[in-house]
Each structure stands twice: as structure tokens, then as C-alpha cells.
Amino acid sequence: MSRPTLYYALFSPPARACIITAKLIGLDLELKPVDFSKKEHCSEEFLKLNPQHQIPVFVDTDGEVYVDSHAIICFMVAKYAKDDQLYPKDLKKRAHVDHRLHYENGVLFQVIKDIVARNIYGGEAELNQRSLTLCHNAYADLEHFLLKGNFAAGNDLSVADVSIHTTLVTLELLIPPDPDRYPQITAWLKRMNLLIPDNEEMNLKGAEALNARIRSCMAANKTK
């Protein structure tokens, strides 16, 4: 295998985080789209890679398989990046980056999971108050983090910013953060939108695809 392979779908914030991280470190990936409408993520071939039938999945040049975007982006930087800026070797700095990654996975991304569960699969026609509360709690946390620097874990861009950004640009379309209430987030989003490679063509396009899917289901739920 001449280059690593990433199984992905553009609507997925975690998959986009992997693609963006690879672009930031100059890693050439073979991208293999997974069509969820055809249930390719449940195929026998895919389940051999990831029995949890989730994307992204990263297959390295030696055939080793890695799953979960947070594990993947940290691995890619540690193995392939020219320096450790995005995922520091310094243990103090790394601990803060790890914390923000856990925040993205355990707090911020849970908002999207709650919305998907309710509005795509649960038949709800409006955003639930629970989803809104979870979202604003997550925004409040991030606003606090950003008081300490220009980026999520200080003054240097890290994989945590990439991970948070792919999720936040999706949520921004559904529950926009009020600039008066969240000025740090608003400024950070502007910085990140300029720093993320192919942001319009890939990242925002993927966010809009998931947003359209959610809103389409909400509209259909209203007619039931």
C-alpha cells in the first residue's frame, strides 16, 4: 500500500477532521467514500475494518486499521507531521489538547448526536429544548476555553481546533452562536475559517449536507 487510506463520508464532522488534518500536515490520503444510503457501512467488507460500522476508518500503509477520528488525527500527526505543533509532545500542552478533544467528543458532538436521534430517527419536527440546552452548555464551555488564548488549547492551532471546528460549523447552521453572547467563539470561527484548507469546498459543503438532511427530516416529520 503506497499511501494511507481513509474511509469517509463528507457529511461526517469526524471524517472531515481527518481529511483536514491530513491536508494541514501534507499527508496524501487515498479517500474512499462510504455511501450510507446504500448501507455500505454495514457491508461485510466494511465490518471487517470496523465492526462498529462507523466512519472514519484509517488504514495505514502497513495495513494496520485505526478507528475513531480523535485517535486517527493524533496518530497521523505523530507519525507523519514534520513537527508536533498540532499534537504537542510536551506532556503539559498535550494534556490540554487531549482535554479539548474529549470535550469535542463527549460534550459538543453529543449535541449533533442528540439532534440526529430526535429529528432524523425520532420523528421530532422541531429542535428539542434538550438539544438547545446541550448546545448552549457546550458553547459556554468553549467560550471559556477561548478566553485563555486564540485557539482551543492556548495560542497554537492543534488537532483539537480541527475536531471542534468540523462539529461547530455543522451546529452553526442549526443553532447559530449569538456573537454578543459568544464573542470568543465568533472570533475563533473567523480565524479557523481562514486557516482550514479547502474550507468552503469540503468542510462547509459537508456541514451543509448534514444540515440539509436534518432539516429535510424535520419538514417530513411535520407532515406526519
Side-chain angles (χ1 to χ4, degrees):
M1 187 182 296
S2 60
R3 54 181 175 159
T5 300
L6 184 77
Y7 292 81
Y8 80 105
L10 203 58
F11 71 81
S12 164
R16 282 184 269 123
C18 294
I19 296 171
I20 290 167
T21 299
K23 288 179 178 290
L24 285 170
I25 64 175
L27 176 61
D28 184 24
L29 295 175
E30 179 180 354
L31 295 175
K32 290 195 173 183
V34 178
D35 191 335
F36 275 60
S37 68
K38 297 179 181 178
K39 298 190 180 300
E40 290 180 353
H41 60 301
C42 295
S43 68
E44 182 177 351
E45 177 187 1
F46 188 82
L47 292 177
K48 288 179 182 178
L49 297 174
N50 184 8
Q52 293 177 291
H53 54 78
Q54 297 171 339
I55 52 169
V57 173
F58 180 90
V59 183
D60 205 5
T61 53
D62 61 358
E64 189 74 20
V65 178
Y66 301 88
V67 298
D68 183 88
S69 65
H70 308 87
I72 292 168
I73 58 181
C74 293
F75 174 81
M76 287 195 299
V77 172
K79 181 172 181 179
Y80 291 105
K82 296 177 182 178
D83 57 54
D84 69 338
Q85 178 191 323
L86 289 176
Y87 192 54
K89 294 178 182 177
D90 180 276
L91 293 181
K92 289 183 178 179
K93 292 180 179 179
R94 177 175 287 196
H96 292 301
V97 173
D98 285 341
H99 171 249
R100 305 308 192 257
L101 288 170
H102 286 296
Y103 154 79
E104 189 281 328
N105 184 43
V107 180
L108 189 66
F109 191 69
Q110 295 306 309
V111 182
I112 289 182
K113 291 182 70 173
D114 191 69
I115 291 172
V116 168
R118 294 178 184 279
N119 300 109
I120 291 183
Y121 299 112
E124 296 188 23
E126 303 289 345
L127 291 175
N128 190 282
Q129 183 58 50
R130 174 63 176 165
S131 302
L132 296 172
T133 299
L134 289 172
C135 188
H136 286 292
N137 287 344
Y139 286 172
D141 289 340
L142 182 57
E143 184 74 10
H144 175 76
F145 300 153
L146 291 169
L147 289 172
K148 300 180 180 181
N150 289 328
F151 295 100
N155 282 313
D156 293 318
L157 178 72
S158 73
V159 289
D161 293 282
V162 176
S163 185
I164 292 168
H165 186 260
T166 56
T167 296
L168 193 56
V169 295
T170 305
L171 280 174
E172 185 183 22
L173 297 173
L174 294 161
I175 311 170
D178 183 344
D180 294 327
R181 186 175 178 182
Y182 306 112
Q184 302 300 325
I185 291 177
T186 301
W188 175 83
L189 276 170
K190 290 179 180 178
R191 283 194 294 275
M192 290 298 296
N193 286 339
L194 294 174
L195 289 171
I196 295 298
D198 299 327
N199 190 50
E200 291 276 351
E201 299 83 356
M202 187 270 296
N203 192 30
L204 298 185
K205 182 179 178 181
E208 288 165 358
L210 181 54
N211 174 61
R213 168 71 170 149
I214 292 169
R215 293 196 180 278
S216 174
C217 288
M218 290 169 67
N221 292 339
K222 287 182 179 180
T223 66
K224 293 180 180 178

